[in-house]
Amino acid sequence: VVAHGTDTLAYTASLVAWLFGSPAVPVVFAAALEPPGSPGSDAIPTLKTAIETAASAKPGIYVAFGARVLSPLNLKFERVAPDGFRNWNMAETVHAAPALFDEALPLADREELRRRFEAAINASMVMRVHPGMRGDHLIGLMDRGVRNFVLELYDTGTANLRESPYSLRPAFLAARDRGVRFFC
């Protein structure tokens, strides 16, 4: 169980899911809107949910918030929302996936770990997506060797999947055909 701040939890959880997609044990990130002791605090219920999930869930990456257990992928923090977090655009939550690297690495092999992280960074792009961004620009980055995209999207307005030059759909389809991964 990892106690985490709310504002950056979605980034940390998705990064851990990307790097360590199928851990040997459940990894549960927990966040609360209000600290313990404050009126309406959700800290104790969140911690209870996180501990119960860590003790009973299959190995994977989870996010506990209040009484809910969420996926680390497509997770959005909305401070103004009454329940704080939501998973968008997911029929079913995902808690395990292929890791960035095919084989496990002994933690003692620091040079190999450094080499792998450097290779991952060189093949990755982290970016905000704004309305008006063309999807074919992402395809151009794929042509130049980018294999992992981490996109910061603003609700569904910047995840446009309609047919237009500003749609991300062609990039997502090209990524699927090329084995490129998107994390949003």
Side-chain angles (χ1 to χ4, degrees):
V1 173
V2 179
H4 202 289
T6 54
D7 291 353
T8 58
L9 183 142
Y11 302 107
T12 304
S14 61
L15 178 65
V16 168
W18 175 47
L19 293 174
F20 310 102
S22 296
V25 298
V27 176
V28 184
F29 291 93
L33 285 176
E34 299 293 332
S38 63
S41 173
D42 53 346
I44 300 303
T46 294
L47 189 56
K48 181 179 184 235
T49 299
I51 292 169
E52 288 172 349
T53 302
S56 64
K58 296 185 295 188
I61 312 293
Y62 301 85
V63 174
F65 189 75
R68 296 182 304 143
V69 177
L70 302 159
S71 171
L73 305 177
N74 291 7
L75 184 66
K76 182 173 178 86
F77 174 61
E78 298 172 322
R79 183 172 295 282
V80 297
D83 54 1
F85 283 94
R86 70 181 172 104
N87 286 120
W88 66 274
N89 197 28
M90 297 182 80
E92 294 182 28
T93 58
V94 176
H95 300 285
L100 177 62
F101 307 112
D102 294 332
E103 69 282 351
L105 177 68
L107 292 178
D109 193 348
R110 294 178 62 83
E111 181 57 30
E112 177 62 11
L113 186 60
R114 185 204 58 76
R115 187 191 65 72
R116 287 183 178 192
F117 277 129
E118 187 173 302
I121 289 167
N122 290 337
S124 300
M125 175 65 69
V126 179
M127 62 191 304
R128 286 184 172 162
V129 176
H130 297 280
M133 185 181 136
R134 295 178 57 102
D136 58 348
H137 293 172
L138 298 174
I139 295 171
L141 290 168
M142 288 180 226
D143 292 341
R144 289 171 180 79
V146 176
R147 294 290 167 256
N148 304 291
F149 288 87
V150 179
L151 303 181
E152 181 179 0
L153 304 173
Y154 296 95
D155 208 349
T156 57
T158 52
N160 181 347
L161 297 179
R162 294 181 209 91
E163 295 300 324
S164 87
Y166 306 102
S167 172
L168 298 182
R169 181 181 169 91
F172 291 156
L173 293 173
R176 181 188 63 200
D177 295 342
R178 298 176 187 202
V180 172
R181 298 192 284 183
F182 276 86
F183 302 90
C184 302

